[in-house]
Amino acid sequence: MSDVEMKSPKSAKKAKKSDRTSSASAAKSGKTYEERVEAVNIISKPLACKKSTKKAHKLVKKAASCKRIRRGVKEVVKGLRKGEGGLCILAGDIYPLDVYSHLPILLEEKNVPYLFVPSKQDLGAAVHETAHLRRPDQGQAGKEGWRQGV
């Protein structure tokens, strides 16, 4: 046999699809998963693998569309004090560490599962992708003036 491996049509199709999705996600953000992992801080453990990161982003999108998400350190801490549970997904590339270094300890005390994903930009994009913010038009605030947009 030569250097080229013989693949079944199904495995070739699967490999082609995975190459396409990984190149599409890298083209959107400009960085691959491995490059994002290099920028992760020291306390980011457990860090989600590539597949788990994609699943976490899907979960965040779904939670954001249902309005069941707490964004930011203050909201998360307030929810924990009130006894709310769930899964906490933290970004691993936050600097300075003092901003959220207390959260893993607090989450472990409250028995809330958590994991770190490599990029705060991707996590924020997953949240804001489904959110629809409405604000009044600048020129027509007194009339019907609501419009959909940023």
Side-chain angles (χ1 to χ4, degrees), residues 14-36 50 54:
K14 194 179 223 184
K16 192 175 185 181
K17 184 179 179 183
S18 68
D19 290 343
R20 186 178 31 191
T21 56
S22 64
S23 64
S25 65
K28 273 194 260 181
S29 63
K31 290 185 178 181
T32 63
Y33 175 80
E34 290 77 18
E35 291 172 339
R36 289 186 191 106
K50 190 174 186 177
K54 285 185 180 181

Side-chain angles (χ1 to χ4, degrees), residues 43-93:
I43 67 166
S44 299
K45 296 203 175 38
L47 184 65
C49 65
K50 190 174 186 177
K51 188 174 180 180
S52 297
T53 301
K54 285 185 180 181
K55 286 185 177 185
H57 288 158
K58 273 182 153 179
L59 183 66
V60 167
K61 284 180 192 177
K62 192 172 185 178
S65 67
C66 297
K67 309 279 192 237
R68 298 284 301 160
I69 197 164
R70 303 287 177 259
R71 292 189 348 229
V73 176
K74 288 174 100 174
E75 284 187 24
V76 170
V77 170
K78 186 167 64 171
L80 288 172
R81 286 187 184 144
K82 287 182 177 181
E84 294 178 3
L87 172 68
C88 187
I89 301 173
L90 304 164
D93 60 347

